[in-house]
Amino acid sequence: MTEVRDELVKKRYASERRFRFYGAAALALTALFLAILLVDIVARGLPAFTEKTVALDVKVDPAEIDPAQLAGGNYDKLVKDAFRAEFPQVTGRAERKALGALLSTGGGDALRQMVVADPALIGKTVSVPVLLGADAGIYLQGMLTDLTTVAGKATLNIARLEGEEGYVLSGDTSGESAEQQLGLTAGQVVRFKGGALRVTGMQNGYVRAEAILPPELPVITLPAGQWDSLTFSVPESNRRISDAQAVWLEDLKSEGRIQTSFAWRFFESGDSREPELAGIRGALVGSLLTVAVALALALPLGIAAAVYLEEFAPKNKLTDLIEVNINNLAAVPSIIFGLLGLAVFLNFFGLPRSAPVVGGLVLALLVLPTIIIASRAALKAVPPSITEAALGVGASKQQAVFQHVLPLALPGIMTGTILGLARAFGETAPLLMIGMIAFIADIPQGFTSAATVLPVQVFLWSDLPEIAFKSKTAAAIMVLLVVLFALNAVAIYLRKRFDRRW
Amino acid sequence: MNAHVPHQTLVTPEKPRALASGQFKVTARDVDVYYGEKQAIKKLSIDIPDRAVSAFIGPSGCGKSTFLRCINRMNDTIPTCKVTGLIDVDKHDIYDPKIDVVQLRAKVGMVFQKPNPFPKSIFENVAYGPRIHGLAAGKTELDEIVEKSLRKAGLWEEVKDRLAQPGTGLSGGQQQRLCIARAIAVNPEVILMDEPCSALDPIATARIEELIDELRQNYCIVIVTHSMQQAARVSQLTAFFHLGTLVEYGDTDEMFTAPQEKRTQDYITGRFG
């Protein structure tokens, strides 16, 4: 008899241990995936929070700037000219174009701001940080290709071939082959002061090369240390920065002219076609406006509906039906709410397209059931003895509810509401239906101006082919997550705060 | 067990010792209470005197709490509950549509089975009733009411230094006395107590019983209790309920020594219930 019991007890403990293990394993797996996701997003997104500028001395030419219209001056030209002046040996039209392409189209903005702030700068030479283009930026962040730079160990002789394209490279005259002496292989770039060559192959013990940046002299001798070889892991045809551009950037970098700074621009500007100029401020403001409208509508309506249904409504078929429908509404796919918003708010009421007010209305409808359900649960959780106590001393039903039940239910209502809002904040689908998916470069000025929201911005950016937008996407996701975490933190704080009122 | 239901007529104690004023505070005639289809009280009639403690005893589910909650219409909060018949407090029909239930509950206070102070300060607990009824003209008057009520409830000396602390932080017995103070604060004439000591230890119970005995001087008190000893200790009159009917109502001493009905005797001697 006792043996059987022992077995049962053992079984019971074993089962409990197994259950604990499953629970811990599930938790560990979830934590692992979450960690992978977060690490991946952060790793991808971090480059978007920095920007690369090149320090240039720009002469503010009065010819390009009309003092009456300071902001209208051709600052881009000034900046580009100053940049090209850094590379006097670059003369070809295509090369000059490639060089100019390294700068952002918004490269002159910093100079414009300086001059507008201080018109006395006209005619002077000012040192200004000029924003590099997105491709140059991500190249410098090492996201386009890996680069290995090896300083030349031996003397390098360069000779331009007569009669045909290209150069031959050789070491000093001792016996070893040039290939071994110089340690060069095809595809590598040889960089030296005044030029750059790309190794194409071997011929007769010499290294053959073609010009990237042709040197002026036909024959050059470079002692060890005066040249170096660059190895790119990605061939030129597969990246958006050519070898020549890469060499220019490497030159600037080794001169210490490239500066990395925190990209305040990312938080200060709206969307742009140029990745380096694109920011999330427009989407963030749009999100805040939209959620503000949603909160202003859904919170009072939701609490009022919950209080009425829970405390005052007669319990009959009609209220049962309403309850079932509210529960069903909470489960309706959000795009349906978008369609509703399109049909009712845009087409019937003629409200403006892409506007936060319409987005807010739609999101209010979306989170209303959630808020009602959470609020009802919170109200239901208040012990009936409190209501009885209040009624017992002669409080009216309304007094009992508003002075005793509702304050006690408030933490729960707050939590439900903020979680509902967090859902609204991350909602994309219904907003697509009411036109909040448009490309909007301006920061919305009010509830009726065209806007987009953060998750839609993420969606828009993730769709773009430029590599630079990939990190923008991840960075926007990071901002979205931070906002959501902040909302949840507020929810927890409020719950704790109000719970302390005994 | 009892197939026949004895006819229910006016049940008035024959020799109510406590009936000094000769006036009945609460009278009920032919009260039926239904919860949905189920009848909880059948043709109940009773006269409850002022300035005396009446105890309702009987087995669980006999309807004594239900009837108690009819006297201040707390049953109104249960949607399926239906009350017919006549219940008068001070000769006013309390189920008259013209009666304001809020005013009624101010006049007929209630103390519940489990201490249920508001999750607010001790002061706020007592001050809430006077405040919503506008009984105090100013802060000083409110302070006076709170102090008076707490004194009457025998709690003042224990809490006077910590009126701002939460009422829920008191011990069970103190909480129940706080609830009594809260009920007293609105100047009720009748105090209904629904098993007020069932959640308390014997010492706290003894304090509450003392308190009830003191309050008897000024109020009509109706107490539901499962403890026959408690009924014998605190009440002047006892009513025995069984299966929704009032079986017997009379002087407590007589009830416990010479009950008229066999069922009362069986219950008192512990043969059922």
Side-chain angles (χ1 to χ4, degrees):
Chain A
M1 228 12 217
T2 39
E3 269 174 40
V4 176
R5 270 200 200 143
D6 275 355
E7 235 166 61
L8 263 178
V9 169
K10 262 186 204 160
K11 248 184 161 174
R12 232 159 44 186
Y13 281 119
S15 145
E16 188 177 324
R17 268 197 303 277
R18 268 201 309 278
F19 179 76
R20 277 165 191 256
F21 171 75
Y22 295 148
L27 213 60
L29 197 67
T30 319
L32 179 73
F33 280 125
L34 188 67
I36 291 173
L37 177 79
L38 284 181
V39 166
D40 182 59
I41 287 176
V42 170
R44 276 169 200 266
L46 276 183
F49 291 110
T50 58
E51 60 186 15
K52 301 281 183 185
T53 51
V54 55
L56 291 178
D57 291 327
V58 183
K59 186 169 187 316
V60 187
D61 187 354
E64 298 291 347
I65 298 160
D66 176 4
Q69 280 187 306
L70 283 174
N74 195 351
Y75 297 95
D76 283 346
K77 182 172 179 300
L78 292 176
V79 165
K80 274 202 172 132
D81 287 347
F83 188 55
R84 287 188 181 120
E86 299 282 331
F87 300 92
Q89 75 275 29
V90 179
T91 49
R93 198 173 168 276
E95 282 80 22
R96 282 174 61 88
K97 205 176 162 200
L99 186 58
L102 288 177
L103 293 185
S104 164
T105 52
D109 291 352
L111 182 63
R112 173 176 302 137
Q113 279 167 18
M114 283 169 79
V115 173
V116 169
D118 182 10
L121 293 175
I122 295 173
K124 292 182 187 159
T125 298
V126 290
S127 175
V128 61
V130 175
L131 185 65
L132 288 170
D135 293 330
I138 57 172
Y139 167 79
L140 288 169
Q141 269 152 352
M143 287 163 68
L144 278 187
T145 168
D146 289 337
L147 171 67
T148 327
T149 309
V150 178
K153 292 189 290 278
T155 306
L156 172 67
N157 294 300
I158 302 170
R160 192 190 296 155
L161 288 170
E162 299 289 333
E164 60 178 309
E165 289 279 298
Y167 296 79
V168 289
L169 312 182
S170 59
D172 54 29
T173 46
S174 66
E176 264 184 304
S177 76
E179 189 186 354
Q180 277 172 343
Q181 271 184 39
L182 299 171
L184 293 173
T185 52
Q188 280 183 326
V189 172
V190 174
R191 180 177 68 144
F192 49 92
K193 192 162 171 51
L197 304 173
R198 187 190 298 112
V199 176
T200 51
M202 304 300 146
Q203 199 177 39
N204 305 332
Y206 294 109
V207 178
R208 288 288 299 264
E210 59 185 359
I212 301 169
L213 303 167
E216 282 175 36
L217 299 170
V219 178
I220 310 168
T221 300
L222 295 162
Q226 293 277 307
W227 61 280
D228 44 24
S229 69
L230 312 179
T231 316
F232 297 102
S233 62
V234 177
E236 185 180 30
S237 54
N238 287 354
R239 56 185 137 88
R240 291 174 62 90
I241 288 283
S242 69
D243 282 347
Q245 286 175 317
V247 169
W248 289 323
L249 288 172
E250 290 301 327
D251 283 352
L252 286 171
K253 200 162 117 184
S254 49
E255 287 169 30
R257 303 281 296 278
I258 306 278
Q259 291 157 351
T260 304
S261 54
F262 187 76
W264 291 110
R265 193 186 304 273
F266 185 64
F267 296 100
E268 283 166 357
S269 52
D271 198 5
S272 170
R273 290 291 179 217
E274 305 302 329
E276 76 277 9
L277 297 177
I280 51 152
R281 180 155 200 157
L284 199 57
V285 171
S287 266
L288 292 178
L289 291 174
T290 307
V291 169
V293 172
L295 179 67
L297 285 171
L299 186 63
L301 278 180
I303 294 182
V307 167
Y308 178 73
L309 282 174
E310 195 56 41
E311 303 286 347
F312 293 99
K315 301 275 175 281
N316 55 27
K317 288 246 166 64
L318 185 66
T319 44
D320 283 352
L321 188 73
I322 290 172
E323 185 173 347
V324 167
N325 278 306
I326 288 173
N327 291 341
N328 282 340
L329 273 182
V332 165
S334 54
I335 190 118
I336 308 288
F337 286 98
L339 280 170
L340 180 78
L342 177 65
V344 176
F345 299 131
L346 293 190
N347 292 348
F348 187 74
F349 288 113
L351 289 171
R353 206 163 287 274
S354 308
V357 64
V358 182
L361 283 166
V362 170
L363 291 184
L365 291 180
L366 184 73
V367 297
L368 203 49
T370 321
I371 292 180
I372 293 175
I373 291 170
S375 302
R376 288 190 67 176
L379 288 167
K380 206 175 273 185
V382 175
S385 67
I386 296 295
T387 320
E388 281 189 337
L391 294 178
V393 294
S396 68
K397 179 81 185 169
Q398 193 192 348
Q399 282 172 326
V401 169
F402 283 90
Q403 294 170 356
H404 295 287
V405 178
L406 199 55
L408 286 177
L410 219 54
I413 293 176
M414 288 288 174
T415 310
T417 304
I418 292 174
L419 293 182
L421 276 190
R423 190 191 158 195
F425 210 91
E427 198 57 70
T428 321
L431 301 179
L432 305 186
M433 301 305 298
I434 55 154
M436 291 189 89
I437 192 178
F439 169 79
I440 291 148
D442 293 331
I443 291 157
Q445 297 299 315
F447 290 107
T448 50
S449 49
T452 187
V453 294
L454 264 180
V456 174
Q457 188 71 74
V458 169
F459 173 72
L460 284 171
W461 280 349
S462 71
D463 222 22
L464 294 172
E466 285 96 335
I467 298 172
F469 272 121
K470 301 273 177 273
S471 65
K472 292 274 167 183
T473 308
I477 291 172
M478 281 164 72
V479 173
L480 183 61
L481 287 179
V482 166
V483 173
L484 291 180
F485 289 158
L487 274 180
N488 284 357
V490 169
I492 292 167
Y493 172 75
L494 284 178
R495 192 166 47 201
K496 288 263 157 69
R497 169 82 207 279
F498 282 99
D499 264 353
R500 245 175 244 152
R501 293 177 38 182
W502 329 307
Chain B
M1 188 165 58
N2 289 288
H4 81 283
V5 176
H7 78 286
Q8 291 291 318
T9 52
L10 170 60
V11 181
T12 305
E14 285 171 16
K15 286 195 291 173
R17 266 194 324 191
L19 202 52
S21 68
Q23 186 194 5
F24 295 111
K25 194 74 183 172
V26 179
T27 53
R29 292 292 175 277
D30 295 333
V31 173
D32 289 306
V33 180
Y34 302 85
Y35 290 121
E37 294 294 302
K38 192 175 153 282
Q39 188 166 9
I41 290 181
K42 293 162 196 159
K43 290 272 169 274
L44 187 146
S45 297
I46 193 167
D47 288 306
I48 299 171
D50 198 2
R51 292 172 208 281
V53 179
S54 302
F56 290 179
I57 60 170
S60 295
C62 65
K64 55 193 190 303
S65 282
T66 299
F67 180 65
L68 189 78
R69 292 167 66 92
C70 287
I71 301 175
N72 70 345
R73 290 182 56 180
M74 280 301 274
N75 280 337
D76 289 12
T77 56
I78 301 163
T80 55
C81 181
K82 199 181 90 185
V83 180
T84 63
L86 192 71
I87 302 177
D88 285 4
V89 173
D90 271 346
K91 302 195 167 58
H92 292 294
D93 178 8
I94 60 167
Y95 279 87
D96 187 327
K98 276 180 283 184
I99 284 281
D100 179 17
V101 67
V102 168
Q103 294 308 314
L104 171 72
R105 288 185 192 139
K107 193 170 164 184
V108 184
M110 188 154 188
V111 177
F112 297 85
Q113 188 170 359
K114 252 183 76 184
N116 56 353
F118 297 128
K120 294 175 188 271
S121 71
I122 294 170
F123 182 88
E124 282 301 317
N125 262 286
V126 184
Y128 180 70
R131 198 174 276 156
I132 59 172
H133 293 294
L135 297 182
K139 172 81 176 112
T140 42
E141 214 171 311
L142 192 62
D143 287 347
E144 275 168 29
I145 293 178
V146 170
E147 180 178 342
K148 208 175 79 191
S149 309
L150 284 169
R151 275 190 196 283
K152 275 192 196 168
L155 196 60
W156 176 252
E157 292 302 323
E158 289 160 63
V159 300
K160 64 180 176 189
D161 297 326
R162 45 173 175 153
L163 290 176
Q165 284 177 25
T168 43
L170 298 171
S171 75
Q174 287 174 325
Q175 284 189 20
Q176 195 61 296
R177 277 182 282 149
L178 179 62
C179 293
I180 292 172
R182 183 176 65 191
I184 295 171
V186 291
N187 280 332
E189 291 168 23
V190 182
I191 301 176
L192 309 175
M193 298 187 175
D194 192 354
E195 299 182 44
C197 302
S198 65
L200 305 180
D201 66 56
I203 295 167
T205 302
R207 292 235 35 193
I208 302 272
E209 285 177 5
E210 269 172 45
L211 177 59
I212 292 170
D213 205 47
E214 286 165 26
L215 293 174
R216 164 166 78 88
Q217 310 301 327
N218 298 308
Y219 303 97
C220 164
I221 295 175
V222 184
I223 174 171
V224 165
T225 176
H226 267 124
S227 156
M228 274 168 286
Q229 289 86 344
Q230 185 172 60
R233 281 194 300 266
V234 301
S235 70
Q236 286 71 53
L237 296 133
T238 300
F240 172 60
F241 286 67
H242 186 233
L243 298 173
T245 59
L246 177 60
V247 177
E248 194 174 344
Y249 179 45
D251 185 273
T252 300
D253 290 345
E254 277 176 29
M255 183 87 121
F256 281 97
T257 49
Q260 307 279 315
E261 290 272 337
K262 183 163 184 312
R263 279 183 296 164
T264 317
Q265 189 172 15
D266 288 350
Y267 183 71
I268 289 167
T269 52
R271 230 164 276 171
F272 74 94

